[in-house]
Amino acid sequence: MVIAHKTLLATEVLVVITMVMIMARPSVQHTVHVTNKLRDRILIVHCQSKDDDLKAHAVPVGESFRWSFELNAFGGTLFWCKLAVQDKRLVFTAFDHYGHSAVYWYVRDDGVYGKDKLINDVFFKAAWRRVWPRQLTS
């Protein structure tokens, strides 16, 4: 009985220490930018995570939609965006704490491109998908 009590107490102490370490770590702001580089069209951007819906925004050519956040204390921060322009749609992961995440996204006529803040290489992320007229309302 004494051994079980000491094991339980050690487990509780370990949990408390872990929680203090998680809560005490410095908070780092991440900012994601989605820039409209289309030739002549307004871009509709709707980004969200499991906890936050950033709502739809109309982004004029040359302008950016951006948001800042801190990582989830327990990890797993994930934002995805739905893009729309006329009869085309596109959905992509804009930030994934566990995966390769760009913080600069450039939306062009052929799709979306990403650029990490540490790496200067621009990479292709996703292509537009044409939507048929009856799908536009759903």
Side-chain angles (χ1 to χ4, degrees), residues 39-111:
R39 273 182 268 179
D40 59 354
R41 296 185 221 151
I42 291 176
L43 174 69
I44 304 301
V45 179
H46 184 180
C47 300
Q48 60 190 94
S49 72
K50 182 180 79 168
D51 301 319
D52 298 304
D53 185 344
L54 305 177
K55 307 293 182 208
H57 297 269
V59 181
V61 174
E63 300 278 324
S64 296
F65 169 65
R66 63 184 145 273
W67 71 98
S68 297
F69 57 93
E70 292 178 11
L71 295 179
N72 181 325
F74 298 103
T77 303
L78 175 74
F79 279 94
W80 64 90
C81 296
K82 299 173 188 174
L83 307 179
V85 61
Q86 291 182 337
D87 63 343
K88 296 187 282 189
R89 303 290 184 268
L90 189 151
V91 178
F92 73 102
T93 300
F95 185 89
D96 182 356
H97 176 72
Y98 293 124
H100 176 74
S101 289
V103 292
Y104 298 99
W105 296 103
Y106 304 104
V107 181
R108 300 185 186 276
D109 291 318
D110 62 338

Side-chain angles (χ1 to χ4, degrees), residues 2 4 8 20 22-23 29 35 40-41 50 53 59-60 62 66 69-70 86 98 102 106 113 123-124 129-130:
V2 174
L8 181 60
V20 168
I22 288 171
M23 301 309 269
Q29 285 283 324
T35 302
D40 59 354
R41 296 185 221 151
K50 182 180 79 168
D53 185 344
V59 181
R66 63 184 145 273
F69 57 93
E70 292 178 11
Q86 291 182 337
Y98 293 124
Y106 304 104
Y113 293 79
F123 61 92
F124 183 75
R129 182 176 63 90
R130 187 160 306 280

Side-chain angles (χ1 to χ4, degrees), residues 110-126:
D110 62 338
V112 65
Y113 293 79
K115 181 177 171 239
D116 192 288
K117 65 182 174 183
L118 301 175
I119 304 168
N120 285 329
D121 292 339
V122 175
F123 61 92
F124 183 75
K125 178 70 172 182

